[in-house]
Amino acid sequence: MITSLPSLPIGLRRLRDAAERLTTPLLPDDYLAMINPLWSARELRGRIVSVVPETADSATLTIAPGAGWRFEHRPGQYVGIGAALHGRFRWRSYSLTSVPTARTDTLTITVKAMPEGMLSGHLVRGLEPGTVVRLARPEGDFFLPEPPPPRLLFITTGSGITPVMAILRTMDRRGSMTDVVLVHSVPDPEAMLFRAELHDLRDHHPSFRLHEQFSRRDGRISLTHDLQRLCPDWRERQAWVCGTDSLLEEAGRVWADANRAPSLHREKFASARIGNASAGGSVRFSTSGFAVETDGATTLLEAGERAGILMPFGCRMGICRTCVLPLTAGRVRDLRTGTEHEGGHQMIQTCINAPAGDCVLDI
Amino acid sequence: MPNSRTVSQPAITQAVVTARSSTLRTTAGLSEFEVSRLAAELDAIRAEVMGDLGAADADYIRRVIAVQRGLEFGGRALLMVSLFPPAWLAGTGALAVAKILENMEIGHNVLHGQWDWMGDPEIHSTTWEWDAVSPAAGWKRSHNVVHHTYTNILGKDRDLGYSAIRVDPAQPWKPIHLFQPLYNLGLSLGFEYGIAIYDLELDKVAAGDKPWSQARAEIGGLWQKIRRQWIKDYVAFPLLSGPAAPTTLVANVVANVARNVWGHTVIFCGHFPAGAQTFTEDQLVDESPGGWYIRQVLGSANLDGPPLLHLMTGNLSHQIEHHLFPDMPSNRYAEIAPKVREVCARYGLPYTSGSLPRQYAGVLLTIARLALPGGGRRVAGGENAGWM
């Protein structure tokens, strides 16, 4: 089977190779999964252990991952989670909030239900403990280096606190809390994730300073105006910023103006990951590096061919599936039905789909 | 010769398929406007189902897969004690049924991309490999692309008689065809090997249309797959059953052959019985979506029977619906069949359908008749009248 397999211990791998002689063209995993889905390492899976509400519209999911998962993520990285909704797998990425350690058999993510988010709402409100979800390997370069830099500054808004929470918990657990300033903005105290825990951390670690900004009461944070007051030595700190697009842009400007761009780490979040244009857009072909602008009526196949890429194709009418390619990001629209597909972990037919906004194809 | 088949549509009296020339034939006597309206109606049937796909459909395919794996596991477990005749019988039966389900309702349909909409990489046309000697990749090309695009077009659709059997009087007769009843029997017994060799498109290599290097790479891939299949069925499992090794070996051969014969039967009934039409290449010129739909209806034939028959044929018993909508999940064909039939009736398109024994008898008669030269005239006398 042409699936990349997660790493297993060598003994188990040998046993599996031998058993594969008997199960070919399937894997032994495919039979094991009939008994317990978590025993299959073909796809990373996890079982929902609990869903604990945090605020009115968010919850922390504890997940017991199955075979092939290794607790080796870096604090601050995110994980893809795929859940079936009306028969279709939907994928979203969420920051891991648990401390990476081998002495555990669960991981946690904290999810905020987005107004437009079909999956996030389902994860927060509709997921029964015991449900088996799919997982993707932890990814992302927004993580705490080891050992932690001596002086740190975190600036977060809303659920942008989640990756930073993983970092803070890790430093707390490992006793490596350095000189840390956290500037966190949320609409009001009720909407604030991890409030009690952050207060606890502040009480236990003299080197951890917390500034809470409640934007309904205090107004939004303006880095240009407030940063100097909130953290006078910000230029001497490694900074991690996670939140809305506008916050990230402002941070980029402020750090660049101060000639301190290399010490700024940024993480795009939530809604910013979803494109919304109605028709056409730029198509990037990630392996070959080409990009083309298209209208909403040009298929991805035609766009690719126009860019000079050797696109796989067959019937060119949507029946044979020779042309399917991974849609890494963005949205496309099926020209026959108008149905939209969203990127992430989807294979799409290039011959009958046109871009709906900017998108990235893996070829 | 090419025009000689146009008229005869016995048994389907409402048919207005009395088209006059080959260029008109895929329109089945319909005006351009009627053809586009027909296309819109069929599109609407498709859109309704595709928009309605959901958890129940996903549960269906996962259930079929679970049953198939259960049967395969159970069958192979029983064969561990295959010296005990009832165990041999039950084990062989379970294994044969598992292999048929795997190839038909699961493999064929997953490889068509019918379940790609679920977004599950474990049940996806790009990752699936089936329990047959032909590698999925080559089959997807020759089947999904060539056969489903150029359905029943002489000289284009290589599935038509699998380039070896004369199933249509318009195919030129060669002396070798005298033996076709015999080698059709051979093809039936070893169908999976026939498909595998056929997917290599050696005829294209001979004609210089396909590089030999590519064929060689594919032969390498095929040999690897064959080896894996043989080791599993003819070495590993027999050895595991210890003293029962010989009886297990025989059981596995029987299961594979039963699967082959069944697959061959179903597939030959889908396109070659009396009533299903063939076309010439000039019909491809400027063919509209409606024209393509019409060709799919005219070139396919359904099998009537109980739900179990539909399951065991991978719903290819709804060959017409499958050819109209190859990527629609197979569990939905039964519900749209009456609608498709009604649309066909309104537009005067023959909707060929019959029981398995009748259709298969017709196919065998055709193969026997066309072993001899000629055969361009059909004897009237019912749906399953062969070419006489």
Side-chain angles (χ1 to χ4, degrees), chain A residues 141-157:
Chain A
D141 45 18
F142 186 88
F143 58 78
L144 181 72
E146 192 58 46
R151 278 133 79 86
L152 292 163
L153 167 62
F154 298 108
I155 303 171
T156 55
T157 57

Side-chain angles (χ1 to χ4, degrees), chain B residues 109-182:
Chain B
N109 294 337
V110 169
L111 290 176
H112 258 294
Q114 293 182 4
W115 301 98
D116 286 5
W117 61 273
M118 299 194 298
D120 184 347
E122 289 185 348
I123 309 177
H124 201 278
S125 62
T126 54
T127 59
W128 195 266
E129 190 53 81
W130 58 358
D131 183 19
V133 292
S134 55
W139 183 82
K140 276 190 285 188
R141 183 189 58 238
S142 72
H143 181 83
N144 290 6
V145 183
V146 181
H147 168 58
H148 272 273
T149 312
Y150 302 115
T151 314
N152 276 27
I153 289 192
L154 288 160
K156 272 277 195 183
D157 181 2
R158 298 170 64 257
D159 273 28
L160 206 59
Y162 293 95
S163 7
I165 298 172
R166 188 165 173 255
V167 291
D168 188 285
Q171 289 169 281
W173 182 85
K174 291 178 207 145
I176 181 104
H177 289 135
L178 282 172
F179 304 99
Q180 73 175 21
L182 207 63

Side-chain angles (χ1 to χ4, degrees), chain A residues 119-232:
Chain A
L119 183 67
S120 60
H122 177 65
L123 293 178
V124 171
R125 300 191 185 97
L127 214 51
E128 296 288 326
T131 309
V132 173
V133 294
R134 300 283 169 87
L135 300 172
R137 298 194 158 278
E139 274 182 79
D141 45 18
F142 186 88
F143 58 78
L144 181 72
E146 192 58 46
R151 278 133 79 86
L152 292 163
L153 167 62
F154 298 108
I155 303 171
T156 55
T157 57
S159 51
I161 184 70
T162 48
V164 172
M165 202 61 219
I167 293 174
L168 293 174
R169 282 173 176 169
T170 304
M171 289 196 290
D172 174 53
R173 177 78 65 88
R174 294 184 182 160
S176 59
M177 186 73 77
T178 52
D179 178 354
V180 177
V181 175
L182 167 60
V183 176
H184 180 47
S185 169
V186 281
D188 49 53
E190 289 69 45
M192 183 169 160
L193 287 168
F194 314 121
R195 186 154 192 238
E197 192 179 346
L198 285 168
H199 289 180
D200 258 9
L201 283 175
R202 181 185 56 192
D203 298 344
H204 281 97
H205 296 279
S207 65
F208 172 54
R209 245 169 64 218
L210 170 66
H211 171 80
E212 295 164 296
Q213 175 118 354
F214 299 115
S215 55
R216 289 221 174 98
R217 190 189 68 196
D218 312 331
R220 287 167 164 268
I221 281 189
S222 157
L223 295 180
T224 326
H225 297 111
D226 305 334
L227 188 57
Q228 193 60 38
R229 174 173 58 82
L230 295 171
C231 183

Side-chain angles (χ1 to χ4, degrees), chain A residues 279-324:
Chain A
S282 86
V283 187
R284 199 158 60 77
F285 302 90
S286 56
T287 307
S288 51
F290 289 103
V292 281
E293 289 293 326
T294 62
D295 57 44
T298 307
T299 64
L300 293 162
L301 176 60
E302 291 163 343
E305 288 173 339
R306 214 169 286 168
I309 292 161
L310 197 60
M311 303 280 285
F313 72 89
C315 67
R316 304 187 80 98
M317 54 196 287
I319 58 170
C320 77
R321 306 249 162 194
T322 308
C323 65
V324 292

